[in-house]
Amino acid sequence: DAKTTQPNSMESNEEEPVHLPCNHSTISGTDYIHWYRQLPSQGPEYVIHGLTSNVNNRMASLAIAEDRKSSTLILHRATLRDAAVYYCILRGYTGANSKLTFGKGITLSVRP
Amino acid sequence: DTGVSQDPRHKITKRGQNVTFRCDPISEHNRLYWYRQTLGQGPEFLTYFQNEAQLEKSRLLSDRFSAERPKGSFSTLEIQRTEQGDSAMYLCASSPPSLTEAFFGQGTRLTVV
């Protein structure tokens, strides 16, 4: 399974932008980059995904490096409700390669 | 659609007992996944169904564990002769055929005493 590397933790101030980095140097050409987050005592929640181009949705933006070996999840204005563990995951699109393989993720703390 | 539903939310059982968990995926989602999560760790993959076929099982899924998805709808995960090491959160997720995203349930928290 392709692996990702994330810092263990990050702190941010409320209403400021947050950039969460992820390295995935062994990514294959067919792997999509997915981000999920998990709040305490809840199941993981989908945030965003992309293949090659940068992506935006109502929750966040995903910036993907040109060589696809790294990506950054951008929360434009952090709120206290964004405090969670964020997982960067590579996902294939065939059969069992479609499973999500989670690492430890990055724990985001948001200061009021 | 109310999302992925798991039942029960909490289960306390004595060591050696059998337990069964149920997962109801989002309708028309053909892919279903089971994960296990312990404190401080990310979810660990257990098994994957595409429709009713179980296509992959993790080595974490010992012979005490069995999962089914009859008729490609709901799924059950059974643990026989539970051990204290089985205490964890068991998560179910489903994805549509397009695989755009996976939707997770709230999980079943198992405590083996």
Side-chain angles (χ1 to χ4, degrees), chain A residues 89-103:
Chain A
I89 300 167
L90 302 182
R91 189 182 196 191
Y93 270 66
T94 57
N97 289 329
S98 69
K99 69 179 183 288
L100 298 166
T101 301
F102 290 81

Side-chain angles (χ1 to χ4, degrees), chain A residues 5-65:
Chain A
T5 305
Q6 300 177 255
N8 289 332
S9 62
M10 182 172 288
E11 288 189 341
S12 173
N13 294 318
E14 195 175 13
E15 298 189 4
E16 290 186 356
V18 180
H19 291 232
L20 303 177
C22 181
N23 288 321
H24 29 79
S25 58
T26 59
I27 190 171
S28 74
T30 56
D31 286 334
Y32 283 72
I33 302 159
H34 280 244
W35 283 81
Y36 284 73
R37 72 179 186 181
Q38 189 172 24
L39 279 67
S41 302
Q42 294 191 22
E45 173 190 29
Y46 168 82
V47 177
I48 200 167
H49 78 282
L51 184 62
T52 55
S53 302
N54 295 344
V55 184
N56 300 295
N57 67 18
R58 63 176 179 81
M59 290 182 69
S61 295
L62 177 61
I64 301 173

Side-chain angles (χ1 to χ4, degrees), chain A residues 95-96 98, chain B residues 31-33 45-50 53-56:
Chain A
S98 69
Chain B
R31 300 171 194 262
L32 187 146
Y33 310 83
F45 169 77
L46 292 179
T47 191
Y48 158 64
F49 289 87
Q50 186 166 324
Q54 188 174 19
L55 297 186
E56 184 174 351

Side-chain angles (χ1 to χ4, degrees), chain A residues 62-107:
Chain A
L62 177 61
I64 301 173
E66 194 170 339
D67 63 5
R68 300 210 325 128
K69 294 185 176 181
S70 64
S71 61
T72 302
L73 179 70
I74 303 165
L75 307 179
H76 296 286
R77 289 180 73 239
T79 70
L80 297 178
R81 288 176 296 178
D82 291 324
V85 179
Y86 286 79
Y87 297 98
C88 170
I89 300 167
L90 302 182
R91 189 182 196 191
Y93 270 66
T94 57
N97 289 329
S98 69
K99 69 179 183 288
L100 298 166
T101 301
F102 290 81
K104 290 192 174 182
I106 179 171
T107 301

Side-chain angles (χ1 to χ4, degrees), chain B residues 23-96:
Chain B
C23 171
D24 286 273
I26 295 172
S27 58
E28 299 183 356
H29 279 194
N30 64 334
R31 300 171 194 262
L32 187 146
Y33 310 83
W34 283 98
Y35 290 83
R36 181 175 70 187
Q37 186 172 27
T38 53
L39 197 63
Q41 303 296 316
E44 296 173 295
F45 169 77
L46 292 179
T47 191
Y48 158 64
F49 289 87
Q50 186 166 324
N51 300 309
E52 66 276 9
Q54 188 174 19
L55 297 186
E56 184 174 351
K57 294 192 293 185
S58 164
R59 64 180 185 279
L60 294 174
L61 215 65
S62 75
D63 56 5
R64 296 185 298 106
F65 287 71
S66 62
E68 294 182 341
R69 192 184 182 196
K71 303 179 182 178
S73 56
F74 71 93
S75 176
T76 58
L77 178 68
E78 181 183 15
I79 308 174
Q80 296 182 327
R81 305 182 303 281
T82 52
E83 301 172 356
Q84 286 190 322
D86 297 331
S87 296
M89 175 75 82
Y90 290 84
L91 294 160
C92 175
S94 69
S95 283

